[in-house]
């Protein structure tokens, strides 16, 4: 484990002010003394925030290449330059989290590379007609389903159709809405298969899928619980806002995926 | 016909050199942002249009007259369409000559004109059609034709990216 971490630290950080090998060793020794359970840490972007043991110290460390910055904050809110121990803790955990994330990302990559090499994916990608047609159908499905979702959201939020129950607005639109959604998912899967590797490695695309799942979960929760309890206008409005927000983000992130941003 | 084309060309050249054209070309983030807004405007416009078409065709919300649904959703349709027009004009001003040379773009403008003409002549009839249960055949046809025309505008718009 120590050897693995040492090589990982060297590989990930290159030259540093503090010898990362010594820092990592010391941190691991300390962890072994104290037990792992007391350390808590999380990664936010390039930043690691941790609570070490019972000391209530918040540590922030940027673990990018080049200059290393770390800062520790005690529970009283005082800022000071972190001691070597704080720094080593933050860097070690940061590199570990980053490595875990990268390893997870890399471990699934062959799967998507294989999907991209399926005969259907290859022929789709190389077809001058099918790809544009499927992409157009994808936009059509999206327009129909999200467009009608917006109409339903107007009622859920309580902005329009106040005289009708949410279900009265949703019922006639549902078959068209679900039809458009199915078209969008089928064509979207085909488009994904054609460029699986590019999509999988794109942060924007992964974010889009996350918001898509959030929108779908929101709709499922609405259909299974809120639809049967008409006496909760605030909760219904929340469902409407979540739906509207998620779908706007899905559309924007989907459009940006094509630009290769992120 | 040639006169119309040269007039359009002159107008587009002016557009290309206007502050709008310069602004859109000034940063590489403007075009993606405009396209996102264009897409969002389209979603809102089509959502209202489809809901209106369903209502007018008699398969919409029960107990609601077509006229009241049109009244409720028409502002969203026109709002979406205004967003589309403004963002579309901005997108066009980036490279107007390239768009003019694009067959799909010309088809899109053709369908757009047809859709507007169709709406101008039939919108009043749809809006004042006030029968909650049974839809008249001519109203249904009118609504479906306008929906198809707008879909043709969208399809031709999507094709712009794929036509050389």
């Amino acid at each position: 484990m120590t050897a693995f971490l040492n090589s990982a630290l060297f590989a990930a950080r290159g030259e540093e002010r503090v010898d990362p090998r010594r820092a990592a060793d010391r941190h691991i020794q300390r962890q072994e003394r104290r037990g792992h359970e007391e350390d808590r840490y999380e990664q936010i972007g390039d930043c690691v925030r941790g609570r070490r043991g019972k000391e209530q110290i918040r540590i922030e460390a940027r673990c990018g290449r080049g200059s290393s910055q770390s800062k520790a904050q005690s529970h009283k809110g005082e800022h000071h330059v972190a001691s070597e121990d704080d720094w080593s803790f933050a860097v070690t955990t940061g590199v570990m989290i980053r490595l875990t994330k990268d390893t997870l990302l890399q471990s699934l990559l062959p799967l998507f590379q294989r999907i991209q090499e399926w005969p259907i994916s290859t022929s789709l990608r190389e077809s001058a007609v099918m790809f544009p047609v499927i992409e157009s159908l994808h936009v059509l499905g999206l327009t129909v389903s999200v467009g009608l979702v917006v109409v339903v959201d107007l009622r859920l939020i309580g902005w329009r159709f106040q005289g009708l129950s949410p279900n009265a607005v949703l019922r006639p639109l549902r078959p068209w809405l679900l039809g458009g959604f199915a078209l969008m998912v089928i064509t979207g899967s085909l488009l994904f298969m054609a460029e699986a590797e590019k999509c999988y490695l794109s942060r924007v695309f992964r974010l889009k899928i996350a918001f898509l799942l959030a929108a779908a979960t929101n709709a499922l929760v609405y259909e299974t619980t809120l639809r049967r309890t008409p006496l909760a206008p605030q909760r219904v409005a929340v469902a409407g806002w979540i739906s509207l927000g998620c779908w706007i983000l899905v559309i924007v992130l989907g459009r940006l995926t094509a630009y290769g941003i992120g | 016909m040639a006169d119309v084309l040269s007039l359009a060309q002159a107008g587009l050249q002016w557009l290309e050199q206007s502050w709008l054209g310069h602004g859109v070309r000034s940063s590489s983030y403007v075009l993606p942002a405009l396209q996102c807004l264009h897409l969002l405007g389209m979603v809102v416009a089509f959502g209202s249009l489809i809901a209106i078409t369903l209502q007018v065709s008699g398969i919409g919300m029960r107990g609601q007259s077509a006229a009241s649904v049109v009244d409720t959703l028409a502002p969203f349709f026109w709002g979406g369409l205004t967003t589309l027009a403004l963002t579309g004009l901005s997108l066009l001003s980036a490279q107007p000559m390239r768009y003019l040379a694009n067959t799909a773009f010309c088809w899109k403008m053709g369908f757009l004109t047809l859709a507007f003409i169709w709406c101008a002549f039939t919108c009043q009839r749809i809006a004042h059609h006030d029968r909650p249960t049974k839809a008249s055949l001519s109203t249904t046809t009118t609504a479906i034709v306008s929906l198809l025309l707008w879909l043709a505008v969208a399809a031709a718009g999507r094709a712009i990216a794929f036509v050389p």
Side-chain angles (χ1 to χ4, degrees):
Chain A
M1 183 62 187
T2 316
F4 166 74
L5 257 180
N6 284 344
S7 58
L9 276 164
F10 262 133
R13 295 195 58 79
E15 290 178 7
E16 292 295 353
R17 276 182 300 130
V18 181
D19 180 2
R21 210 161 20 167
R22 271 181 51 219
D25 278 347
R26 204 169 309 164
H27 177 64
I28 284 156
Q29 281 165 15
R30 201 171 50 230
Q31 271 195 325
E32 281 164 359
R33 268 205 311 279
R34 204 192 283 140
H36 292 261
E37 296 81 18
E38 291 169 19
D39 292 339
R40 301 255 185 282
Y41 47 78
E42 57 177 339
Q43 188 180 24
I44 304 148
D46 280 349
C47 196
V48 181
R49 284 192 186 153
R51 218 195 67 173
R52 197 185 62 198
K54 288 166 186 158
E55 292 167 41
Q56 293 276 337
I57 283 182
R58 212 176 66 175
I59 299 162
E60 295 187 6
R62 308 217 166 266
C63 40
R65 284 169 190 276
S67 68
S68 57
Q69 289 265 316
S70 65
K71 195 170 69 180
Q73 188 184 17
S74 75
H75 64 289
K76 286 173 192 156
E78 293 162 350
H79 290 267
H80 61 87
V81 177
S83 70
E84 201 187 317
D85 280 356
D86 291 338
W87 189 85
S88 74
F89 161 74
V91 168
T92 315
T93 51
V95 172
M96 275 169 70
I97 294 172
R98 171 165 285 199
L99 276 176
T100 319
K101 223 175 117 190
D102 286 357
T103 316
L104 269 176
L105 196 69
Q106 291 295 327
S107 66
L108 282 172
L109 190 59
L111 173 71
F112 293 104
Q113 282 167 338
R114 204 181 302 165
I115 289 175
Q116 189 170 316
E117 279 156 23
W118 285 350
I120 180 170
S121 316
T122 312
S123 54
L124 255 178
R125 187 170 55 249
E126 286 165 2
S127 164
V129 178
M130 283 313 284
F131 199 83
V133 166
I134 290 175
E135 201 160 56
S136 306
L137 287 175
H138 188 62
V139 179
L140 176 70
L142 173 150
T143 309
V144 173
S145 62
V146 182
L148 292 176
V149 162
V150 170
V151 173
V152 176
D153 286 345
L154 290 178
R155 170 60 191 92
L156 296 187
I157 291 170
W159 214 10
R160 290 290 186 277
F161 300 115
Q162 286 100 331
L164 293 171
S165 74
N167 203 23
V169 178
L170 181 55
R171 196 188 298 118
L173 304 181
R174 196 186 278 119
W176 303 88
L177 200 155
L178 291 179
F181 186 75
L183 181 65
M184 182 180 75
V185 168
I186 292 168
T187 52
S189 310
L190 289 170
L191 292 172
F192 174 77
M193 277 158 59
E195 296 187 317
E197 189 182 352
K198 187 190 119 188
C199 291
Y200 175 65
L201 290 176
S202 155
R203 203 175 289 177
V204 172
F205 181 81
R206 295 201 299 264
L207 209 56
K208 168 189 167 170
I209 297 299
F211 280 113
L212 182 68
L213 291 176
T217 312
N218 181 54
L220 273 177
V221 169
Y222 178 80
E223 288 277 345
T224 49
T225 60
L226 288 173
R227 195 158 69 86
R228 295 196 184 80
T229 54
L231 289 170
Q234 286 92 353
R235 290 186 69 190
V236 170
V238 168
W241 280 114
I242 292 177
S243 158
L244 201 59
C246 283
W247 279 114
I248 289 174
L249 284 166
V250 168
I251 290 176
V252 167
L253 293 170
R255 179 66 262 205
L256 293 182
T257 305
Y259 279 97
I261 291 171
Chain B
M1 191 64 197
D3 285 347
V4 173
L5 259 181
S6 63
L7 195 69
Q9 235 164 14
L12 289 176
Q13 258 155 11
W14 175 81
L15 188 66
E16 190 172 19
Q17 295 308 319
S18 68
W19 59 269
L20 189 62
H22 286 295
V24 171
R25 286 187 299 269
S26 65
S27 160
S28 57
Y29 291 103
V30 178
L31 279 184
L34 283 173
Q35 285 193 329
C36 288
L37 282 175
H38 201 66
L39 200 53
L40 290 175
M42 186 178 98
V43 164
V44 173
F46 266 102
S48 342
L49 188 63
I50 295 168
I52 288 173
T53 308
L54 288 175
Q55 194 71 33
V56 166
S57 310
I59 43 175
M61 302 155 205
R62 273 176 220 165
Q64 286 288 97
S65 70
S68 74
V69 172
V70 172
D71 278 349
T72 308
L73 289 178
F76 291 93
F77 176 69
W78 292 114
L81 218 55
T82 311
T83 312
L84 282 169
L86 292 176
T87 53
L89 197 67
S90 312
L91 287 166
L92 179 66
S93 71
Q95 286 179 314
M97 289 308 145
R98 232 183 97 191
Y99 279 106
L100 194 64
N102 189 303
T103 327
F105 177 77
C106 298
W107 276 99
K108 177 176 180 172
M109 290 302 115
F111 282 125
L112 191 62
T113 316
L114 278 181
F116 265 117
I117 293 172
W118 185 262
C119 264
F121 281 108
T122 60
C123 264
Q124 290 306 310
R125 188 149 56 116
I126 294 175
H128 295 297
H129 172 81
D130 204 355
R131 282 200 283 175
T133 45
K134 243 178 126 185
S136 80
L137 189 64
S138 71
T139 322
T140 307
T141 319
T142 308
I144 289 175
V145 168
S146 79
L147 180 61
L148 287 176
L149 280 172
W150 285 110
L151 279 176
V153 175
R158 180 68 274 208
I160 291 174
F162 299 112
V163 171

